[in-house]
Amino acid sequence: MNVFTEERSLANIQKLHFIIVDDDPLVRAVLEKSFLKIDFGKDIAVIVHSFQDGVEFLESDWYDPDDKYLLLLDGIMPKMDGIEVLLRVRTDYPDRNIVVSMLSARSGEGNIIQALEKGADDYMLKPFNVPEVMARMERMAKRMLL
């Protein structure tokens, strides 16, 4: 009977993936470390992934329809910029379990509007404040988990 109970409790754990796509290894390391500290309780498993560019991310086996995702995309990257990655995600995957936030040095109003029109849920500017990024991401995660 214990095995059944353990399997059942594992099945009830919801997976919340924080995915960082940024070409700057320092940014990835700081955000990874910060996201790993987030605790939503015993029924939510927080999993953190990071990718150095959009191509690496999109070619990975990152998506499971049963899980929830918060993507943090750099706006300016080699090979494929954040807007291109955003468009692919919004075209190829359902919106209901994926929240996308752009983190970019592109501060012009046109860039921000373009990202939001293309499907970004949030837009933050670089250089960024880690506590602010964490607060925004946690707020979006909590809305997803309700």
Side-chain angles (χ1 to χ4, degrees):
M1 194 67 158
N2 273 350
V3 173
F4 175 76
T5 305
E6 288 175 18
E7 286 178 11
R8 185 171 173 90
S9 68
L10 287 176
N12 291 334
I13 293 177
Q14 189 165 11
K15 293 179 186 169
L16 176 62
H17 299 263
F18 285 93
I19 299 176
I20 305 155
V21 184
D22 197 303
D23 60 320
D24 185 329
L26 181 59
V27 168
R28 288 194 313 270
V30 167
L31 293 173
E32 278 179 50
K33 185 177 179 182
S34 298
F35 287 141
L36 286 170
K37 293 178 184 175
I38 296 175
D39 183 9
F40 291 107
K42 64 181 180 177
D43 293 334
I44 309 291
V46 173
I47 303 158
V48 179
H49 313 269
S50 66
F51 300 91
Q52 64 185 353
D53 62 56
V55 174
E56 180 186 27
F57 164 63
L58 291 171
E59 289 179 349
S60 72
D61 185 24
W62 67 275
Y63 185 76
D64 181 329
D66 295 325
D67 295 349
K68 306 255 186 222
Y69 299 88
L70 281 109
L71 275 59
L72 189 57
L73 299 177
D74 184 7
I76 305 169
M77 293 182 288
K79 298 181 187 175
M80 180 182 285
D81 75 10
I83 295 292
E84 291 174 276
V85 176
L86 171 65
L87 287 170
R88 288 274 304 276
V89 167
R90 290 302 187 212
T91 301
D92 297 345
Y93 300 95
D95 284 353
R96 66 176 162 66
N97 60 345
I98 302 172
V99 172
V100 180
S101 182
M102 300 294 296
L103 183 63
S104 182
R106 291 181 180 153
S107 61
E109 187 176 297
N111 293 316
I112 296 168
I113 291 169
Q114 178 189 25
L116 296 172
E117 286 177 344
K118 302 288 183 190
D121 298 289
D122 193 22
Y123 197 99
M124 295 177 271
L125 295 174
K126 286 183 177 179
F128 60 91
N129 175 302
V130 174
E132 180 186 345
V133 171
M134 299 311 299
R136 285 180 177 214
M137 297 300 280
E138 283 186 63
R139 187 187 83 239
M140 289 187 288
K142 286 177 183 172
R143 282 196 322 220
M144 280 185 87
L145 296 170
L146 293 176

